[in-house]
Each structure stands twice: as structure tokens, then as C-alpha cells.
Amino acid sequence: MSALLQDYAAVVGEDVIDQLLQLAEPLKGKKVVHINSTRVGGGVAEILTKLVPLQRELGMDARWEIIPGQDEFYQCTKLFHNALQGRTAVLSESLKQAYEEANAQCAEEHRALLRDADVVFIHDPQPAALLPHIHDRKGKWIWRCHIDVSHPQRQIWRYLSGFVAGYDASVFSLADFAQMLPHSVYLIPPSIDPLSEKNRELPEKEIRETCELHRIDPDRPMMLQVSRFDRFKDPLGVVQAYYLAKKFIPALQLVLAGGGASDDPEGDAVLAEVQAAVKGDADAHVLFLPPDAHRTVNALQRAALFVLQKSVREGFGLTVAEALWKGKPVIGGNTGGIRLQVVNHHTGFLVDSPEGAALRIRYLLHHPDKLAEMGGKAREFVRDNFLITRQLREYLTLMVALVHGANGRLVLE
Ligand code: UDP
């Protein structure tokens, strides 16, 4: 077993790693390509940063490429993102054209790679239209949807599903999101990497210093939300909940830490609204972090007494798993992938409004024993369900089933 796999074995157990090695055996040397739209910022980039090296470690020839785009392409894909998560949006012909052209160009650039790959994972809508350009593809193509498509705007879904229908399989994060498609649909939730800079243990000194650097008092209660500045993450709802709770707990501090993703054109406007909402409050910190501030996010999650993720739509919410892994209960929006992770009253609380969040904030601040008990459960819940080794295992079985077809089924019988 390689040194890297030994490191994972120390967290999840040697049997788990041995199982991965066994499952990966029939995939040795297979060409696997992942395509998404950004290398930094957001959950997909976060996962691929670790998943691709691990697939290589298990013997696959795994690669990760990006679909590049210009302004109109990102406007279009942000519109897809919003419309698929239920917002009303109108797709103009010129945005559609920008989308299709960016896909055509990317297909041209990576033609040989995409044609010869044994398995291609296309992440989210941005590169979904690559498929029709690779007429002579040899491998299996999987559309991996990370967003909450439980109530998509029908017109936009109809347009996109025209591309997705041609894939060999789709993967959604949970059953609520699964759509009718003319191929097999799999449910595989995302995961976090316990060994990444974002999640590994940190010295107490570094946690304190990170707080001090950002003028957060490490000796007073602090609650945190880490998110891109996106309306679906409801940062203004968090601010509202904070002020409702702060009336009763004046020592309370709030940190809203976020950054931009290079494929998200709306971040600046949302950030400005959040800054305006807390203006003049020395206990409310809005931190705009660079995309590689993983240790800072890690330290803030560890410094927080508990964490919020008050999203109104959420594909999964890696930030929830990250906080739970650090033993922090999460007060989360009662939506999408947060429901998979926040087991109400056990690993945190599900809330439907800023008022509900404020109530739970006050509860946790007044019940330190319960907070500690929930924190312990939270960590074990992630160990059992949301570490990268579990996601890798599910991808491996999916790939074996697709690549080996009938053989895969024979083994199962
Ligand atoms: N993240 C970060 N810095 C930020 C904001 C987010 O490193 O300023 C990370 C966060 O820790 C998590 C990922 O980006 O790992 C966000 O994933 P999530 O699934 O929570 O949301 P998405 O952005 O994909 O909607």
C-alpha cells in the first residue's frame, strides 16, 4: 500500500482501503477524464482536487480538464444554475449560442482525450453539451449533477436534458433530485477529504492566531457560515438570525467567510449587500477570502462554537460535512443535501427561517453539554458516511458496472 493510502487507512481503517484496491483492480490503466468549469472555488473543485489524485493512486490514468469560457458563457451557466434550482429565468438565443460555442471549442481542444477515454465524468451543466461533438467516443459518459434539481424550471431542464439524455448514466446527490432520463440514474452523495488542508487537525495556536488576525475574539462565542456569496446560501438570513439572537446574547460574534468562484458572476453584488447589512458592527465579520485559504477556513470552522449553513437551496453543502467532521453541530437550512447531513437534534438542527435559526442559536449557546454531545455524534456521522473513501468506492463500482457491462452484472449475481 502506498504512503498516501496508508495515511487514509489511519483515518478510515485498512479494510476500507483494501476494499478500494480490490474494486479498482479491473480499472487499472483505464483512462478516466473529469471535466468541470473551475479549478478553484466551490464544492466540485474541492472534491476533484482530491478525487483525481486518488484515482491515479489506485492505478487509473485519471485527468481533470476545465471548460474555459467568456462572460456570456458564465452568465448562461449561472442562469442554468439558478433556473435548475427553481428560479425563473429566460434563456436568450445569444446566451444559448455562447454556451454551445464554448462547448464546441472545448470539444475541439480535447477531442482525442475525450474520444479515447474509457470513462468521462461531466460535472454539472457547464460542460454537458460536449457529448454531441464527440461522435466517435469509445468510452462511457456520466453526467454528474451536483446541484439541487428537485424543482427545475421546466424549459431550462428540457433544453439541458436534450444533451444529458445521450449520456450512459447520470449521478445525483440524493433521491429528491433524480430526474427521469433514458439511462440509469445513480445516487451518490459528495464527500470531504479528512487529510486536506481544509480538514486536517490544526494546532490550537494557529486557530487562535487566525482569529486574532481577523479581529475575532477567540474567548467569546463565535458562529460561522462559510459560503460563496450567493443568494441561495441566504447570507442575509444568517445576518437576520444573528441580530435576533444577539439581543439575548450580546457577546455573540458572527463570521461570514466566503470567496468568489471564477465561474460565478453574481458574487460581488451579494457581498456588497451583506457588508451593508452588518455595517458598523465590530462583532460581525465579513471575510472575503482567496480561493486557496483552506487553512483559514479550517481554523475558523474549528474556532466556531457551531456552524450555520442556512441555504434555501443546496445540492449538498460540503461546508456542512466539513463542520460536522470538526465536531461542530450545524444549524442548516431544511433543504436538499443539508437534510442528508443534519440529523435534526443529533448532528444539528434543520431550520426554515431566520427566526428558527435564532431559536437554535440561543439553544446551543445555553446548552453546552448538548452542544458537545451533538458535536461528537456529528464527527462519527461524517466518518461513517461522508468521507472521500466512501465516494470513491461508489464511483469505482459505478465505473466497473459501466465499463465491464455484462461481466459486472455476472459478478453481482
Ligand atoms: N469554500 C472556501 N472558501 C470560501 C468559500 C467556500 O474554501 O470562501 C469552500 C468550502 O469550504 C467548501 C466549498 O468551498 O469546501 C463549497 O462547497 P459547498 O458544497 O458547500 O458549496 P458550493 O459552493 O459548491 O455551492
Side-chain angles (χ1 to χ4, degrees), residues 145-312:
C145 178
H146 295 264
I147 54 187
D148 176 348
V149 283
S150 51
H151 301 95
Q153 190 190 317
R154 280 289 142 197
Q155 253 172 326
I156 304 286
W157 173 246
R158 219 172 292 132
Y159 171 67
L160 266 174
S161 61
F163 300 111
V164 172
Y167 284 65
D168 298 289
S170 294
V171 178
F172 295 89
S173 294
L174 53 149
D176 283 353
F177 303 168
Q179 294 289 326
M180 289 286 283
L181 285 161
H183 53 231
S184 299
V185 170
Y186 296 81
L187 301 179
I188 303 180
S191 60
I192 60 163
D193 177 11
L195 300 182
S196 67
E197 292 281 291
K198 175 76 55 70
N199 295 313
R200 64 174 53 166
E201 298 291 326
L202 291 181
E204 271 307 312
K205 187 168 170 278
E206 183 173 343
I207 299 170
R208 277 191 89 84
E209 283 171 359
T210 304
C211 288
E212 282 157 9
L213 181 71
H214 294 288
R215 300 199 173 82
I216 301 158
D217 181 349
D219 298 317
R220 283 196 284 138
M222 181 271 274
M223 62 181 198
L224 167 75
Q225 175 158 305
V226 177
S227 282
R228 288 178 296 105
F229 289 98
D230 180 315
R231 289 184 218 288
F232 285 122
K233 310 283 184 183
D234 198 17
L236 291 172
V238 172
V239 171
Q240 208 182 326
Y242 159 72
Y243 282 120
L244 287 170
K246 196 168 166 74
K247 275 194 244 162
F248 300 91
I249 306 132
L252 183 62
Q253 303 172 90
L254 169 68
V255 177
L256 283 165
S262 58
D263 60 348
D264 180 359
E266 279 176 11
D268 291 349
V270 179
L271 172 64
E273 285 169 27
V274 174
Q275 281 168 331
V278 298
K279 203 165 176 209
D281 181 350
D283 286 343
H285 307 267
V286 180
L287 309 181
F288 190 78
L289 301 174
D292 59 351
H294 301 300
R295 284 185 89 97
T296 304
V297 171
N298 186 343
L300 292 171
Q301 287 168 330
R302 289 179 192 280
L305 205 51
F306 52 88
V307 164
L308 287 110
Q309 190 56 58
K310 221 209 89 31
S311 307
V312 289

Side-chain angles (χ1 to χ4, degrees), residues 327-363:
K328 309 293 168 173
V330 172
I331 298 175
N334 186 10
T335 185
I338 297 176
R339 287 197 198 127
L340 273 188
Q341 304 180 72
V342 174
V343 183
N344 214 4
H345 298 270
H346 293 278
T347 63
F349 293 107
L350 290 170
V351 297
D352 293 289
S353 63
E355 292 77 10
L359 204 68
R360 296 313 188 184
I361 292 168
R362 289 174 60 196
Y363 178 87

Side-chain angles (χ1 to χ4, degrees), residues 16-217:
V16 170
I17 303 301
D18 280 342
Q19 188 196 21
L20 291 180
L21 286 163
Q22 192 175 311
L23 284 169
E25 197 54 41
L27 297 169
K28 278 231 161 93
K30 296 284 182 217
K31 296 189 179 78
V32 180
V33 180
H34 292 268
I35 311 240
N36 81 321
S37 63
T38 176
R39 276 192 199 278
V40 285
V44 181
E46 187 83 17
I47 292 170
L48 291 179
T49 302
K50 285 303 172 148
L51 194 81
V52 174
L54 274 171
Q55 286 185 327
R56 295 184 74 87
E57 197 77 15
L58 292 172
M60 283 154 266
D61 177 4
R63 294 197 37 184
W64 174 14
E65 300 294 343
I66 299 297
I67 177 166
Q70 306 296 328
D71 278 2
E72 276 210 305
F73 171 71
Y74 292 126
Q75 274 173 34
C76 177
T77 57
K78 185 70 189 183
L79 181 146
F80 285 162
H81 186 84
N82 290 342
L84 292 176
Q85 299 209 127
R87 282 230 196 105
T88 310
V90 180
L91 181 59
S92 69
E93 277 308 312
S94 81
L95 287 190
K96 216 189 254 185
Q97 204 179 335
Y99 173 67
E100 291 179 16
E101 268 169 20
N103 273 269
Q105 270 172 25
C106 179
E108 202 44 57
E109 188 185 337
H110 296 298
R111 178 165 301 286
L113 180 74
L114 293 171
R115 185 194 56 216
D116 296 338
D118 296 292
V119 181
V120 178
F121 283 86
I122 295 292
H123 296 267
D124 286 338
Q126 295 92 330
L130 285 173
L131 179 75
H133 297 284
I134 314 294
H135 308 287
D136 48 354
R137 69 182 166 108
K138 298 191 179 124
K140 302 291 182 185
W141 283 51
I142 300 162
W143 187 58
R144 201 321 171 197
C145 178
H146 295 264
I147 54 187
D148 176 348
V149 283
S150 51
H151 301 95
Q153 190 190 317
R154 280 289 142 197
Q155 253 172 326
I156 304 286
W157 173 246
R158 219 172 292 132
Y159 171 67
L160 266 174
S161 61
F163 300 111
V164 172
Y167 284 65
D168 298 289
S170 294
V171 178
F172 295 89
S173 294
L174 53 149
D176 283 353
F177 303 168
Q179 294 289 326
M180 289 286 283
L181 285 161
H183 53 231
S184 299
V185 170
Y186 296 81
L187 301 179
I188 303 180
S191 60
I192 60 163
D193 177 11
L195 300 182
S196 67
E197 292 281 291
K198 175 76 55 70
N199 295 313
R200 64 174 53 166
E201 298 291 326
L202 291 181
E204 271 307 312
K205 187 168 170 278
E206 183 173 343
I207 299 170
R208 277 191 89 84
E209 283 171 359
T210 304
C211 288
E212 282 157 9
L213 181 71
H214 294 288
R215 300 199 173 82
I216 301 158
D217 181 349

